[in-house]
Amino acid sequence: MAVIEARALAKSFRIPSDRRETVREHLFNAFRPRSFERLDVLRSVSFDVRKGETLGIMGRNGSGKSTLLKILCGIYRADRGDLLVGAPLTPILELGLGWNPELDGIDNILLLGTAMGLRLREAKNAVDEILAFAGLDRFANVPLKHYSSGMASRLAYSVAFKTVREVLVLDEIFAVGDAEFRERCEARYRELSAKGHTVVLVSHDPRVISAFCSRALLLDEGRVAFEGRGGEVVDEYSRRVAMASPGPALA
Amino acid sequence: MRGSVTAAGTRVDVAGLLWTLARTDFKTRYHGTFGGFLWALLKPALMFVVLMSVFSFIFATSPNYRLNLIVGLFLWDFFAEATKTGLTSLHAKGYLLAKTRFPSWILVVASASNALLTLAVFLAIFLAYLAFAGRAPGAAAAALTLFYLVLFFAITVGISLAGSVLFLRYRDLNQVWDVAVQAGFFVAPIIYPLEILPERFHFWLYLWPPTPVIQFCRAVLVDGVLPTARANLLLAAMAAVILAVGVLVFSSQVADAAERL
């Protein structure tokens, strides 16, 4: 049974020749025509995600991965195409940024936790566990502005892992923190997957895609260029990267 | 043409999120102390002292001038403060919008919490003063005051909802609104009694939403006069229209909000 059905999703961004972001600019330039450049980030993307499976998405920078995830999560709106998401979905995106720097760890956990769907009581009960998972117990009362970017990302992952509903959408997971924290994330991810959660994950890391994904897509210029088992997609990705660059294929 | 999206609902603890937003807002603004909050009450209080010292001489014939002035000032302060923070609320909390999907109107409503708290504290002090002076409002007057405040809140939320999404398009809208608010302070009869203006202008002044709210609150709290049912209905209709327009503008624009942050 498909939990996510995406049909011919398309998204482009219109980039104006001159930006008008203020009332003043709009008024003074009202009669001056401006041109737009269209950037087609997604041209037509179709796929299904079945219940309980982990679908990987690979692709070079600018291939549309992050835009696709944002559309899946309802943060961006597709221009065309149909999307059906049959179960509540937890996004874990762009975690490095996005905290209130003036608030301490606990308040930020409560804020993000309730925004991501925890009840306030649940969020309060989970604070210790979240801080422990992130390895940040000692920094609970320190304002986020004093955290390093790695610490902030770890905290975000920990909150997100706690708020998981049915479908988990992950952008570049396991790219954060030290080896120990990555290990903990992977263990937590395996636990969720074993419980039958559906996962969509984007990664550049061949190891992650082949180890975790039963199926994967390769995005190229806003289309699904290749679809297959995790290992097959990694091979295809490596082949394309090798073709595109004269140097050694993969780090 | 827009793509069609069918997504399973994401339940959010609206009350819990509102409370967390309001509490953390208070904390960042006043460093979590009540002393810091009292400091914020000083602004309208000082305004009151200065304006009263000057204008109570000019309007010496108006018996309730001081009470009217302070009611007007605090209601106005609520309106100005709530709409200004409401306007930038989505932008200010963009870090949440870019990360997850939740009903973002909550951010706009929560942004008024601080102004609401200031107004509540003022009202408590003001009512205590009235009771002390033997002028405590009756049940009908108290109920009507509450009714007006609910309408006033609806008006500010309506303006904030529309403003918050438009601000993402027009980044100087807050400056435009600042000018409007500054001019609006003099359009509303705050420092002068409405009666000094020719009656033919009154209708137009009443179209500026704070005017009827301030006038009606003064009538019930200070003068002990209850506005007519028709007047109350008109104010309710005005609040409903402003809120409805705000909701319409907001819902037509909010889907693109994360792209404009």
Side-chain angles (χ1 to χ4, degrees), chain A residues 226-237:
Chain A
F226 187 80
E227 188 176 349
R229 299 208 343 233
E232 295 168 354
V233 171
V234 167
D235 292 342
E236 177 66 18
Y237 176 69

Side-chain angles (χ1 to χ4, degrees), chain B residues 221-236:
Chain B
L221 287 176
V222 179
D223 305 331
V225 180
L226 304 186
T228 61
R230 182 165 166 273
N232 289 333
L233 271 178
L234 281 174
L235 179 56

Side-chain angles (χ1 to χ4, degrees), chain A residues 36-61:
Chain A
F36 287 90
E37 198 183 329
R38 222 175 84 149
L39 189 64
D40 294 315
V41 179
L42 294 181
R43 290 164 199 273
S44 175
V45 173
S46 303
F47 61 91
D48 285 347
V49 187
R50 289 186 292 272
K51 192 167 169 42
E53 83 169 333
T54 297
L55 177 79
I57 300 176
M58 287 194 99
R60 280 179 288 179
N61 287 336

Side-chain angles (χ1 to χ4, degrees), chain B residues 63-75:
Chain B
N64 288 322
Y65 180 75
R66 291 168 188 203
L67 289 180
N68 281 334
L69 177 64
I70 199 162
V71 169
L73 271 181
F74 269 88
L75 285 172

Side-chain angles (χ1 to χ4, degrees), chain B residues 43-86:
Chain B
K43 188 185 129 199
L46 270 175
M47 268 299 261
F48 169 69
V49 172
V50 172
L51 291 173
M52 187 189 69
S53 326
V54 179
F55 288 97
S56 57
F57 289 106
I58 304 178
F59 301 112
T61 51
S62 182
N64 288 322
Y65 180 75
R66 291 168 188 203
L67 289 180
N68 281 334
L69 177 64
I70 199 162
V71 169
L73 271 181
F74 269 88
L75 285 172
W76 174 261
D77 204 57
F78 164 76
F79 176 76
E81 173 74 17
T83 51
K84 279 182 197 175
T85 49

